[in-house]
């Protein structure tokens, strides 16, 4: 199973997390569900690996956490973007686009 | 950045909360996922299994999250530290021994470093102290000398663009009002002094240019303590009258508390008010100078400028300034003097002791490390990385080192004052000596470093390739390589101990030699003291002479006094008067004439001091102002100048005495510069001239130099009170100060050597003891590892004696190598001592062999106990042991 997983390049998971919570605060499970829905079976992210990333982003101050009540009436930790996180999301999205374009160009060239 | 620190701190400080929240967060996710799978139709067990697959191992994820929080290494560290403390509590004997060694080693090193830091390293307590310099005169023949004459000072002060200068001189005297008469230390200063030092007055104002000139109305600055004792403190002193040396001064300022130049002082008066003839004499170089580099000026520019000014002065005043240069030196250097070499020497000795202590702790740890090899091997085989296990070992020794360091700092804090008090004579800047953050930081760094250093050897032995072997217990290879390391430790300890012991031996021998030297006088039952004449007696020259005669007469009447004399310089006490002389009328050019120490004395001086008369006669009552100027010389001068002793009747040209003078007698040489220092001093020739022949114009100046010396027929200190009382004189305000017996002065002249010898003996004995403990510990450990081997040997027919001999031979090999290396190293230590300690004798073979023999015997005794224990091994028990 590990072998079939598409390894995410360094920083990509961070970018996906930032994008996922850009609209509204989400808790960890919701983030993982949403990533799964959008990417379908292509991205096999082990759900647990989300959490080290979340805690790292929180430490960096790009996201902040707040305890709230989930739809099934349980205490859950909701993550939302900080201003710094929002800026990072913009920068990193641009960088990612440029990178993939360049990599695509090189791969397509004859 | 802020967020990062905040989250790490929170993770660290509120660990349980953070941990609980993480568990709750992860559990929430898992529950939701199970729920989701069940909604897809899986039964409970299937849902749980799928969740576990999709989520990953909970423990692993938790660890990763902890890592992500960035305090993983700290977590580990705290856990290791806790583990280390638990280990030490399980081994109280080991821990106590190691901590004691470290506390003593680090404590002693910290004391020495504190003193060095306060005295040598910490800047002086003035603003921008590194820009303060002092000026030194310089001649080709005699090197540097500290003094400057007043006319030279004024010229340099006026002409220099790179320096703002001030000067001061001794100016102690008697206060007669307000309050009781008392002799106090004082200084005469030029007006700029406080500005140059950039000190603010505590009250009032500093001197102005207008105060600092002949004929100005007398003003004074008093110390903070005098202001409090005599005027009630605060601003109360300002404007008050102070009668000092019979002159009524108006107090204009109070110096900042603790202010001192080269010692404590109470009264400060303007230098320029002084109208003594020598204030106009370019050859009277009695002023101390201090100068501040002007903004932007460098020391090298100041040196260049001083050289130009000195050349100009030499050209203009060839008689007094010919051949004289001028140099600026940092003030700190001057304040501290030559104390530095002694302090560094002690620090080196103390560092050796610390090194021995560290080696001891290292061998203790290593012995433990070997018996722990299995534990560590187990940890490695269970998946701990080698780096992790090494880190754990280093944490343990680091904890040991730091704990020892903290104890050491406590030891240092407790012993600092006693050490300073115990120091012979006055340690410069003694009041400033204290532990500061720099020392604390250095001590902690030192203890951590030594902790890591002695933990390194055991840590590097963490098994890796040999895990299997270690686990199976076939520990032969391990023991063999650790035996080599243990031997290296013992050899190092013994070598260091030899160095310390031989140094102590050399110092002790030097001390014995010095003490047996003939000081050139009979110091038994002689009392000396400086005398401050009554200010009212300082009138015309005949009045001053009469006052001195009165002092002598009064002293002779004190019960117990056999004879009494006056002198301007007392042997082995501070103070000197060096004069150039010649044996022909043609004086050599300035700076090249021979120099002699000239003492002005009264006729009984020879009898009081017990100096032997070699030829001719000593000065007597007939040598006065009206008769021919005469001198008595010592045999050193006679041999130096004439090449023979019998020179009575010859003439000597001494410019300061209005040359020529007739030699009427030859006496023995007195070790004026101390038992230790005299042989190396620049000025060894000595001459005596009659106090009655001092020119009347100089009598007033001489009044501030004169001391009385009396020979007693009882313990000299017993008559001090009677002498003090009887010498108060008719006006009841004459004071004695600097009271010393000649024996105190003689013994004080080798005080530094005695102090060093004492400390080195202590260090040497401690080193010897530590080395023996080391030898004992290592051998006890090594033989316990070889019990099985001994069992086999004895089963095969070896006698207990054979086994004892086997062990002793092994230890003798280590001891011999250690002692040999140490003996070789003493050659270096000897060279260092020879250059740093006055009167030091070269390393003698007998000293080295005696001390080395003591060490070898002590070490053999220490190894005898483990050896006999080994010989009592019961063959059968030993073989069954494993």
């Amino acid at each position: 199973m590990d072998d079939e997983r598409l390894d995410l390049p360094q920083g990509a998971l961070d970018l996906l997390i930032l994008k996922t919570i850009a609209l509204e605060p989400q808790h960890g499970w919701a983030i993982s569900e949403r990533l799964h829905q959008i990417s379908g079976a292509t991205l096999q992210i082990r759900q647990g690996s989300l959490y080290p990333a979340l805690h790292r982003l929180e430490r960096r101050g790009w996201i902040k956490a707040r305890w709230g009540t989930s739809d099934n009436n349980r205490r859950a930790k909701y993550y939302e973007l900080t201003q710094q996180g929002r800026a990072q999301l913009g920068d990193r999205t641009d960088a990612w686009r440029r990178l993939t374009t360049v990599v695509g160009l090189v791969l397509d060239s004859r | 950045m802020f967020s990062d620190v905040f989250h790490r701190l929170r993770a660290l400080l509120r660990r349980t909360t953070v941990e609980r929240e993480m568990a709750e967060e992860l559990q929430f996710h898992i529950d939701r996922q199970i729920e989701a799978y069940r909604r897809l139709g899986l039964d409970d067990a299937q849902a749980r299994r799928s969740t576990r697959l999709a989520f990953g191992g909970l423990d692993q994820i938790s660890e990763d999250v902890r890592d992500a929080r960035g305090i993983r290494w700290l977590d580990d560290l705290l856990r290791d530290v806790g583990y280390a403390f638990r280990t030490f509590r399980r081994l109280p004997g080991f821990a106590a021994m190691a901590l004691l060694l470290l506390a003593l080693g680090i404590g002693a090193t910290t004391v020495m470093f504190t003193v060095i830091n306060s005295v040598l390293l910490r800047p002086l307590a003035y603003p921008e102290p590194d820009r303060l310099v002092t000026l030194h005169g310089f001649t080709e023949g005699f090197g540097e000398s500290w003094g400057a004459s007043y006319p030279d000072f004024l010229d340099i002060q006026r002409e220099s663009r790179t320096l703002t200068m001030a000067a001061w001189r001794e100016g102690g005297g008697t206060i007669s009002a307000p309050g009781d008469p008392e002799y106090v230390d004082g200084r005469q200063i030029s007006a700029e002094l406080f500005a140059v030092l950039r000190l603010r007055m505590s009250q009032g104002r500093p001197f102005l240019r207008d105060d600092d000139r002949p004929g100005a109305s007398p003003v004074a600055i008093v110390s903070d303590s005098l202001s409090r004792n005599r005027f009630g403190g605060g601003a109360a002193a300002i404007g008050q009258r102070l009668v000092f040396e019979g002159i009524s001064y108006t107090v204009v300022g109070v110096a900042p508390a603790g202010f001192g130049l080269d010692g404590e002082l109470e009264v400060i008066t303007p230098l320029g008010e002084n109208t003594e003839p020598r204030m106009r004499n370019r050859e009277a170089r009695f002023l101390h100078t201090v100068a501040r580099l002007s903004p932007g000026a460098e020391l090298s520019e100041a040196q260049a400028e001083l050289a130009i000014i000195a050349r100009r002065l030499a050209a203009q005043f060839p008689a007094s300034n010919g051949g004289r240069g001028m140099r600026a030196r940092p003030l700190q250097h001057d304040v501290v003097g030559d104390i530095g070499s002694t302090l560094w020497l002690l620090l080196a000795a103390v560092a050796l002791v610390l090194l021995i202590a560290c080696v001891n702790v290292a061998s203790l740890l290593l012995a433990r490390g070997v018996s722990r090899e299995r534990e560590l091997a187990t940890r490695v085989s269970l998946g701990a990385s080698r780096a992790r296990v090494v880190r754990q070992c280093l944490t343990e020794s680091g904890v040991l080192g730091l704990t020892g360091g903290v104890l050491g700092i406590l030891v240092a804090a407790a012993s600092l004052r006693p050490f300073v008090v115990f120091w012979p004579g006055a340690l410069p800047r003694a009041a400033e000596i204290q532990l500061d953050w720099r020392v604390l930081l250095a001590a902690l760094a030192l203890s951590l470093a030594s902790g890591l250093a002695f933990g390194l050897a055991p840590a590097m032995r963490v098994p890796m390739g040999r895990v299997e072997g270690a686990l199976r217990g076939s520990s032969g290879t391990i023991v063999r390589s650790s035996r080599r390391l243990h031997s290296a430790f013992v050899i190092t300890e013994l070598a260091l101990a030899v160095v310390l012991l031989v140094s102590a031996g050399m110092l002790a021998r030097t001390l014995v030699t010095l003490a047996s030297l003939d000081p050139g006088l009979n110091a038994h039952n002689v009392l000396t003291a400086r005398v401050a004449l009554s200010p009212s007696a300082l009138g015309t020259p005949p009045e001053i002479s009469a006052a001195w005669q009165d002092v002598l007469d009064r002293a002779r009447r004190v019960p117990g006094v056999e004879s009494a004399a006056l002198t301007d310089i007392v042997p082995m006490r501070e103070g000197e008067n060096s004069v150039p002389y010649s044996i022909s009328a043609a004086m050599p050019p300035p700076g090249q004439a021979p120099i002699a120490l000239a003492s002005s004395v009264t006729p009984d001086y020879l009898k009081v001091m017990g100096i032997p008369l070699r030829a001719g006669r000593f000065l007597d009552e007939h040598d006065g102002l009206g008769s021919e100027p005469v001198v008595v010389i010592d045999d050193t001068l006679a041999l130096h100048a004439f090449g023979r002793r019998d020179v009575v009747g010859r003439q000597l040209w001494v410019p300061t005495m209005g040359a020529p003078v007739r030699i009427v007698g030859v006496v023995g040489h007195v070790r004026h510069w101390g038992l230790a220092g005299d042989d190396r001093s620049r000025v060894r020739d000595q001459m005596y001239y009659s106090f009655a022949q001092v020119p009347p114009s100089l009598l007033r100046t001489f009044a501030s130099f004169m001391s009385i010396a009396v020979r007693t027929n009882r313990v000299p200190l017993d008559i001090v009170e009677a002498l003090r009382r009887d010498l108060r004189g008719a006006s009841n305000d004459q004071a004695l100060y600097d009271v010393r017996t000649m024996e105190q002065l003689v013994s004080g002249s080798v005080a530094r050597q005695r102090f060093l010898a004492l400390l080195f003996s202590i260090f040497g004995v401690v080193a010897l003891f530590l080395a023996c403990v080391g030898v004992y510990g290592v051998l006890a450990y090594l033989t316990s590892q070889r019990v099985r081997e001994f069992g086999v040997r004895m089963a095969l027919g070896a006698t207990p004696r054979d086994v004892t001999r086997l062990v002793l031979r092994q230890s003798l090999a280590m001891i011999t190598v250690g002692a040999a290396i140490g003996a070789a190293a003493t050659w270096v230590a000897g060279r260092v001592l020879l250059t740093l300690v006055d009167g030091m004798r070269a390393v003698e073979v007998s000293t080295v062999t005696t001390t080395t023999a003591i060490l070898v015997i002590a070490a053999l005794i220490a190894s005898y106990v483990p050896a006999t224990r080994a010989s009592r091994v019961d063959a059968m028990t030993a073989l069954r042991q494993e």
Side-chain angles (χ1 to χ4, degrees):
Chain A
M1 173 190 161
D2 270 24
D3 293 341
E4 296 161 15
R5 212 178 68 207
L6 191 57
D7 277 332
L8 283 175
Q10 188 77 41
L13 181 59
D14 292 354
L15 186 56
L16 293 181
I17 292 173
L18 293 178
K19 179 70 186 171
T20 312
I21 60 172
L23 283 180
E24 54 173 340
Q26 304 270 26
H27 51 70
W29 184 75
I31 297 172
S32 116
E33 273 299 288
R34 181 142 180 78
L35 285 179
H36 188 71
Q37 274 170 20
I38 296 174
S39 71
T42 326
L43 278 181
Q44 285 281 347
I45 305 166
R46 197 163 34 174
Q47 294 178 9
S49 62
L50 209 55
Y51 287 91
L54 282 170
H55 282 249
R56 196 167 46 243
L57 289 174
E58 188 187 1
R59 202 187 77 210
R60 281 190 202 146
W62 297 358
I63 63 179
K64 64 184 177 198
R66 162 170 66 73
W67 287 91
T69 315
S70 75
D71 42 356
N72 65 349
N73 261 337
R74 269 185 62 175
R75 226 163 78 90
K77 203 173 173 188
Y78 282 83
Y79 292 95
E80 60 186 301
L81 278 191
T82 62
Q83 210 158 357
Q84 202 188 343
R86 209 164 283 284
Q88 286 288 340
L89 176 60
D91 290 356
R92 285 179 177 239
T93 310
D94 290 349
W96 180 266
R97 292 237 164 87
R98 278 206 306 279
L99 181 69
T100 48
T101 312
V102 172
V103 171
L105 280 175
V106 172
L107 292 179
D108 290 344
S109 67
R110 284 270 145 193
Chain B
M1 178 62 213
F2 173 75
S3 155
D4 188 282
V5 174
F6 171 78
H7 279 93
R8 280 181 204 243
L9 270 181
R10 178 174 138 84
L12 191 64
L13 300 176
R14 317 224 15 222
R15 205 129 45 125
T16 47
T17 315
V18 169
E19 280 284 310
R20 207 189 54 232
E21 285 181 0
M22 178 185 73
E24 187 179 349
E25 184 182 17
L26 297 180
Q27 195 57 49
F28 172 78
H29 185 115
I30 288 167
D31 290 349
R32 283 301 292 261
Q33 190 61 37
I34 293 172
E35 204 180 300
Y37 279 130
R38 289 205 359 218
R39 236 178 275 146
L40 289 174
L42 299 181
D43 67 25
D44 192 54
Q46 280 174 321
R48 282 180 189 281
R49 208 161 55 89
S50 302
T51 302
R52 198 150 52 236
L53 279 176
F55 189 78
L58 185 57
D59 285 346
Q60 185 59 49
I61 300 288
S62 303
E63 276 297 290
D64 289 349
V65 172
R66 283 183 201 117
D67 267 352
R69 284 203 304 259
I71 54 153
R72 175 57 178 279
W73 62 274
L74 245 169
D75 258 1
D76 283 353
L77 185 67
L78 288 178
R79 205 171 311 143
D80 285 353
V81 167
Y83 183 74
F85 273 115
R86 281 196 302 281
T87 313
F88 295 144
R89 216 178 307 146
R90 271 206 315 276
L91 298 162
F94 162 80
M97 187 68 189
L99 287 181
L100 179 73
L101 292 172
L102 285 172
L104 287 180
I106 291 171
T109 316
T110 307
V111 167
M112 283 319 304
F113 185 65
T114 306
V115 174
I116 286 181
N117 177 46
S118 308
V119 176
L120 301 182
L121 305 182
R122 202 161 45 199
L124 298 167
Y126 305 118
E128 291 189 55
D130 51 322
R131 299 195 58 84
L132 287 174
V133 297
T134 176
L135 300 196
H136 286 254
F138 177 81
T139 58
E140 209 48 62
F142 295 97
E144 287 194 357
S145 55
W146 57 262
S149 70
Y150 193 58
D152 281 357
F153 163 71
L154 290 178
D155 286 346
I156 301 167
Q157 189 192 38
R158 194 178 55 248
E159 289 176 30
S160 174
R161 294 287 164 272
T162 58
L163 297 168
T164 42
M165 271 182 85
W168 85 83
R169 58 169 292 198
E170 278 73 23
T174 308
I175 297 176
S176 36
D180 295 330
E182 180 192 11
Y183 179 86
V184 295
D185 272 326
R187 299 288 181 273
Q188 298 177 358
I189 67 168
S190 68
E192 307 79 10
L193 187 84
F194 284 96
V196 167
L197 296 178
R198 294 213 193 141
L199 289 181
R200 297 175 60 91
M201 306 300 289
S202 152
Q203 298 287 340
R205 61 168 176 87
F207 294 141
L208 307 175
R209 275 284 163 89
D210 200 42
D211 301 322
D212 188 20
R213 60 176 174 81
S217 69
V219 291
I221 292 171
V222 296
S223 73
D224 185 65
S225 64
L226 190 139
S227 151
R228 268 183 283 119
N229 293 343
R230 286 186 191 260
F231 296 104
I238 306 299
Q240 297 294 308
R241 200 176 64 102
L242 177 79
V243 181
F244 178 67
E245 289 292 273
I247 301 172
S248 178
Y249 286 88
T250 309
V251 177
V252 294
V254 177
F259 173 74
L261 286 163
D262 44 2
E264 283 171 35
L265 48 97
E266 303 291 342
V267 177
I268 303 167
T269 54
L271 178 63
E273 268 180 5
N274 194 319
T275 52
E276 285 173 26
R278 66 177 182 147
M279 291 290 284
R280 295 188 294 278
N281 182 352
R282 272 189 199 273
E283 282 182 273
R285 301 184 176 92
F286 57 92
L287 292 181
H288 298 259
T289 51
V290 58
R292 189 178 281 280
L293 288 168
S294 309
E298 292 303 319
L299 185 59
S300 56
E301 298 170 48
Q303 304 284 29
E305 192 188 50
L306 283 174
I308 294 171
I309 297 175
R311 259 202 306 279
R312 206 224 9 108
L313 288 175
Q316 191 178 351
F317 309 102
S320 57
N321 290 49
R324 284 189 74 83
M326 198 81 71
R327 285 178 184 172
R329 276 206 293 180
L331 183 64
Q332 175 131 14
H333 186 98
D334 231 58
V335 170
V336 166
D338 64 341
I339 208 81
S341 56
T342 309
L343 288 177
W344 288 114
L345 192 64
L346 283 174
L347 184 67
V350 159
L352 285 188
V353 176
L354 176 65
L355 207 54
I356 297 182
C358 279
V359 172
N360 248 338
V361 176
S363 73
L364 281 175
L365 271 179
L366 187 60
R368 223 175 68 73
V370 175
S371 51
R372 270 178 82 185
E373 209 137 294
R374 261 178 235 187
E375 176 207 330
L376 296 181
T378 312
R379 298 193 51 157
V380 170
S381 65
L382 286 180
S385 68
R386 179 165 198 217
R388 182 74 191 76
V389 177
V390 166
R391 215 163 67 194
Q392 188 204 330
C393 288
L394 285 183
T395 306
E396 267 187 44
S397 56
V399 165
L400 204 57
L402 273 182
T403 316
V406 171
L407 291 177
I409 288 172
L410 294 180
V411 169
S415 48
L416 197 55
R417 271 304 121 188
F419 178 84
V420 172
V421 170
F422 195 51
W423 186 273
L427 197 56
R429 309 179 69 190
E432 296 173 48
I433 294 174
Q434 57 190 18
L435 287 167
D436 63 5
W437 61 268
R438 243 197 320 177
V439 172
L440 291 183
L441 219 59
L444 286 180
L446 178 70
S447 40
L448 190 61
S450 42
L452 295 184
F454 60 62
L456 211 54
M460 284 339 261
R461 299 180 35 73
V462 168
M464 208 55 217
R466 304 189 309 265
V467 172
E468 270 178 280
L471 282 174
R472 251 190 252 125
S474 60
S475 47
T477 54
I478 297 166
V479 169
R480 202 167 310 130
S481 65
S482 93
R483 192 183 299 166
R484 214 171 302 134
L485 205 48
H486 270 112
S487 310
F489 282 165
V490 167
I491 288 169
T492 314
E493 281 186 322
L494 289 172
L496 292 175
V498 167
V499 170
L500 278 174
L501 276 176
V502 171
S503 305
M506 282 171 69
L507 282 163
R509 217 187 170 106
T510 301
L511 196 62
V512 170
T513 318
L514 286 178
S516 67
L517 284 180
D518 179 11
L521 47 80
N522 178 3
H524 187 61
N525 280 354
V526 178
L527 189 76
T528 70
R530 292 185 196 265
V531 182
L533 278 190
S534 160
S536 60
L538 294 173
T540 63
E543 282 170 345
I544 298 176
S545 294
W548 282 120
Q549 191 55 49
D550 180 58
V551 166
L552 275 184
D553 292 342
R554 284 169 185 270
R556 288 197 180 103
R557 285 197 298 269
V558 172
V561 170
E562 284 187 343
S563 50
L566 299 173
T567 178
D568 56 349
I569 51 183
V570 169
M572 305 191 206
R573 198 182 68 185
E574 277 177 54
E576 58 156 309
N577 177 30
S578 301
V579 299
Y581 70 88
S582 165
I583 56 169
S584 66
M587 254 336 249
Q592 284 172 34
I595 305 268
L597 188 74
S599 316
S600 146
V601 299
T602 55
D604 274 349
Y605 184 74
L606 206 66
K607 197 155 72 179
V608 172
M609 287 295 178
I611 301 168
L613 182 69
R614 304 274 191 230
R617 65 168 176 89
F618 197 66
L619 308 166
D620 61 28
E621 286 74 14
H622 306 297
D623 302 317
L625 279 179
S627 58
E628 183 189 31
V630 295
V631 290
V632 169
I633 62 173
D634 77 335
D635 45 14
T636 306
L637 192 156
L639 284 175
H640 180 199
F642 300 97
R644 58 201 180 88
R645 284 196 174 82
D646 177 25
V647 291
V648 173
R650 301 283 294 262
Q651 277 187 318
L652 221 49
W653 277 260
V654 185
T656 52
M657 294 179 193
V661 290
R662 171 116 17 230
I663 298 170
V664 293
V666 179
V667 297
H669 177 73
V670 172
R671 291 186 162 263
H672 175 81
W673 308 101
L675 292 179
D678 197 74
D679 288 333
R680 286 193 193 179
S681 65
R682 281 187 293 121
V683 181
R684 296 196 72 242
D685 297 347
Q686 294 166 352
M687 63 172 77
Y688 300 88
Y689 61 103
S690 176
F691 181 54
Q693 289 187 336
V694 170
S697 60
L698 291 181
L699 268 183
R700 187 162 175 138
T701 305
F702 267 70
S704 60
F705 307 148
M706 298 310 284
S707 295
I708 189 166
V710 297
R711 175 163 290 280
T712 60
N713 57 16
R714 58 188 69 171
V715 180
L717 286 176
D718 285 354
I719 66 151
V720 172
E721 273 327 297
L723 194 66
R724 200 188 284 280
R725 192 179 55 239
D726 291 2
L727 288 198
R728 287 182 73 91
S731 50
N732 201 32
D733 59 358
Q734 264 167 188
L736 284 188
Y737 61 106
D738 281 358
V739 178
R740 302 278 185 283
T741 69
M742 233 15 250
E743 277 171 336
Q744 286 171 336
L745 289 172
V746 171
S747 119
S749 77
V750 291
R752 194 178 295 183
Q753 285 80 357
R754 187 178 315 112
F755 186 65
L756 279 179
L758 177 70
L759 282 186
F760 267 75
S761 309
I762 295 174
F763 296 157
V765 170
V766 170
L768 178 67
F769 173 73
L770 288 183
C772 288
V773 170
V775 170
Y776 170 81
V778 166
L779 274 182
Y781 168 74
L782 287 182
T783 49
S784 75
Q785 293 285 311
R786 292 171 75 190
V787 165
R788 205 176 127 101
E789 178 201 333
F790 296 143
V792 173
R793 281 176 188 269
M794 289 172 83
L796 293 177
T799 64
R801 275 188 58 161
D802 293 336
V803 173
T804 310
R805 209 172 298 148
L806 188 71
V807 176
L808 282 183
R809 204 180 304 139
Q810 185 188 10
S811 102
L812 191 63
M814 293 190 296
I815 295 169
T816 316
V817 176
I821 294 177
T826 53
W827 188 81
V828 180
R831 306 294 307 178
V832 174
L833 284 174
L834 214 52
T835 49
L836 292 188
V837 184
D838 257 354
M840 195 69 203
R841 315 267 303 184
V843 190
E844 282 160 72
V845 181
S846 59
T847 316
V848 178
T849 47
T850 322
T851 45
T852 312
I854 293 175
L855 186 95
V856 169
I857 291 168
L860 273 179
I861 293 173
S863 42
Y864 194 72
V865 181
T868 47
R869 198 183 297 148
S871 72
R872 278 194 229 106
V873 164
D874 177 51
M876 288 326 286
T877 335
L879 287 175
R880 265 193 231 110
Q881 192 179 314
E882 292 204 15

